[in-house]
Amino acid sequence: MESLARLVAILMFMALFGGPIAIGLSAIKSDFALTNIIRRIFHAFFVSISLWFGVIFFFNPEMPRIANLIGLYALVMGYIASRREYFPNVRVISPLLVRLGIKSRAINTIDDELNSDSIQIQPLKRSTSSLFGPIMKWHRNGRSGGNDGHGPEGQH
């Protein structure tokens, strides 16, 4: 019975901490290809573990409700980690909230600019995106990519 308790503890530990570890790994960026390959291997492992245990815990009706909630947590963390690493420009929740009328931030301003009679060139605000896609000028760590005209590497 003691080994069964250890197995359940390991499963719960992986469900609880697999997603946050993967999110932490997605925050690490490097210029070296080997480091990025190793980081992505570990990231994929932790995301798959989080999603797998999340599915097992969330969709099993025989488990207690707290285990179902842990499964939901693992699914959400795995989704966030995979989106941060592999699909950073895909927005699913924001457009849905805008269409439901809960959130009217960037997409409504773009629609207003497209529907106006004369399109005027206005400086973009920090919270809005451009008409032609997201502005990917700055990286997550707050530094410039070096090719945008800011800093010693990017000056022309």
Side-chain angles (χ1 to χ4, degrees):
M1 288 305 243
E2 186 176 322
S3 63
L4 181 61
R6 286 184 183 163
L7 178 66
V8 170
I10 289 171
L11 292 176
M12 288 291 179
F13 178 80
M14 291 304 288
L16 285 173
F17 295 113
I21 290 172
I23 290 173
L25 285 173
S26 69
I28 300 171
K29 301 295 181 192
S30 175
D31 293 334
F32 300 110
L34 183 63
T35 308
N36 280 335
I37 290 171
I38 293 170
R39 180 186 58 83
R40 280 198 168 191
I41 288 171
F42 282 115
H43 182 270
F45 172 74
F46 283 114
V47 165
S48 62
I49 289 294
S50 177
L51 291 175
W52 181 253
F53 288 135
V55 166
I56 289 172
F57 290 151
F58 185 64
F59 291 113
N60 192 349
E62 298 173 357
M63 289 199 161
R65 293 290 172 227
I66 190 73
N68 292 130
L69 290 176
I70 290 173
L72 179 64
Y73 170 79
L75 283 173
V76 169
M77 289 294 129
Y79 165 74
I80 290 171
S82 63
R83 194 185 66 90
R84 275 180 55 113
E85 180 67 27
Y86 302 112
F87 313 106
N89 297 330
V90 175
R91 301 286 181 234
V92 176
I93 296 173
S94 293
L96 289 176
L97 292 177
V98 168
R99 289 187 184 229
L100 292 174
I102 298 171
K103 184 177 179 183
S104 62
R105 198 173 78 195
I107 294 179
N108 282 347
T109 58
I110 291 174
D111 288 341
D112 292 341
E113 290 175 10
L114 288 176
N115 293 334
S116 65
D117 295 331
S118 63
I119 296 178
Q120 299 174 355
I121 298 175
Q122 299 174 354
L124 292 173
K125 299 174 189 167
R126 180 174 278 238
S127 65
T128 63
S129 61
S130 72
L131 292 173
F132 307 107
I135 300 172
M136 295 303 295
K137 181 169 143 181
W138 299 100
H139 296 285
R140 280 197 183 113
N141 61 2
R143 298 180 184 208
S144 168
N147 57 355
D148 57 358
H150 300 284
E153 295 90 12
Q155 292 182 359
H156 303 283

